[in-house]
Amino acid sequence: MPGRGGEEPAGATRWTAPGTELPVVVGARRVHLLAAGMAVAVGLVLGAGAVAGRPGVVASVAVVQALLVPAWILGARRPGRIGGMIVGGAAAAAADIALLVRDRTSPAVLLGVLGLAVPALILHQLTRGVVRVRVTESLAGIAVLIAAGVALSTLIALARAEDGHRLAGTVVLAAAAGLAAARLTDAVAPVPRIADGLPYGLLAVVLAAAAGAVAGAATRGGPLSTGGGAAVGAVVGLVVALVAVGAGFLTLTLPERRPGLVEAYLWVVLPIALVAPVGYLTALSVAG
């Protein structure tokens, strides 16, 4: 936010929402550094779960999902918050339970969870009553939350494979390493700019893929060779960095506010969650 005398803080950048006259001013460097630290923390939690085996993967995924729901509702500040938390939390829980009950490597059962979420979204909007405003915005926001929560559950399905907890560990550590590298790079040199007005650079995406490859090679073992781990890590690191850039456009629609831990958690976990199915497919393809 502007400092005294209308001056912007050091390291700030101005993001202007398309079609509006009100700019959103944030400390870009601070945001990147905060997100880099959060990526390391989330990676440690999910990585520790993978080290603990299949039960650890389930527990760590559940913890990250549980925190993602309020982080999205509070950080994205979309309408229909209470119902959104209920629907989003229920979808994530149902996805985890469905995979545990089915106890198979295939995540096909998650399609049923996503299918049931559609009428739940509509029912939620109907129950909002007289405060039913910005319906499209509310629907879209909660739909993204549901997709992210359910997508993160694919790590549980991956853990069901032979030495699957090691594969899940490779995916989450590569994603966390890629995000941390990308955010640190953008904090120093966000070049060349991917989009005007956003402090994200193509160099960060390239280095995210490299960091993911290093993390993947370092976690080799079980069904993955060093080269296989590096390949999985590179793909995950590249995709998670690109998804993070897409999530960055979310800030263009937010009211002017200095981002904190809630936003940092959201901007880290959302890309990791959405890249989980990519990691699932890549890890099983390379391991197979």
Side-chain angles (χ1 to χ4, degrees):
M1 292 184 179
R4 296 180 179 178
E7 297 180 356
E8 297 178 5
T13 186
R14 182 176 292 272
W15 299 354
T16 305
T20 69
E21 297 179 355
L22 295 177
V24 179
V25 179
V26 298
R29 183 170 301 172
R30 173 181 177 274
V31 170
H32 287 313
L33 293 176
L34 196 60
M38 188 63 70
V40 173
V42 173
L44 290 176
V45 170
L46 292 173
V51 171
R54 293 181 181 178
V57 172
V58 175
S60 60
V61 166
V63 169
V64 172
Q65 287 172 324
L67 294 176
L68 173 61
V69 173
W72 173 261
I73 298 299
L74 298 176
R77 297 188 283 285
R78 294 294 189 262
R81 295 183 181 182
I82 297 177
M85 290 184 67
I86 295 174
V87 175
D96 294 351
I97 293 172
L99 288 172
L100 291 175
V101 171
R102 192 172 180 83
D103 195 20
R104 294 181 181 176
T105 304
S106 173
V109 68
L110 298 181
L111 295 177
V113 176
L114 291 174
L116 292 174
V118 175
L121 282 170
I122 298 174
L123 180 62
H124 166 238
Q125 295 302 319
L126 293 176
T127 58
R128 292 178 62 196
V130 295
V131 296
R132 195 185 304 127
V133 295
R134 299 159 62 193
V135 174
T136 302
E137 184 179 354
S138 177
L139 274 170
I142 301 172
V144 171
L145 171 61
I146 291 173
V150 173
L152 192 59
S153 296
T154 57
L155 293 175
I156 297 177
L158 181 58
R160 299 299 179 196
E162 183 179 356
D163 282 333
H165 63 286
R166 303 188 69 140
L167 296 176
T170 297
V171 170
V172 297
L173 290 176
L179 274 180
R183 298 290 68 78
L184 289 174
T185 302
D186 281 335
V188 177
V191 292
R193 293 292 178 109
I194 295 177
D196 292 337
L198 281 179
Y200 292 88
L202 184 60
L203 177 61
V205 176
V206 174
L207 293 183
V214 172
T219 56
R220 68 189 183 280
L224 287 179
S225 63
T226 301
V232 172
V235 171
V236 170
L238 174 65
V239 176
V240 79
L242 292 174
V243 174
V245 173
F249 281 92
L250 171 67
T251 58
L252 298 179
T253 64
L254 298 182
E256 187 175 346
R257 173 181 168 181
R258 189 174 180 82
L261 290 176
V262 172
E263 288 81 5
Y265 184 82
L266 176 61
W267 295 337
V268 166
V269 175
L270 189 62
I272 291 179
L274 293 176
V275 83
V278 176
Y280 169 90
L281 293 173
T282 305
L284 289 184
S285 298
V286 174

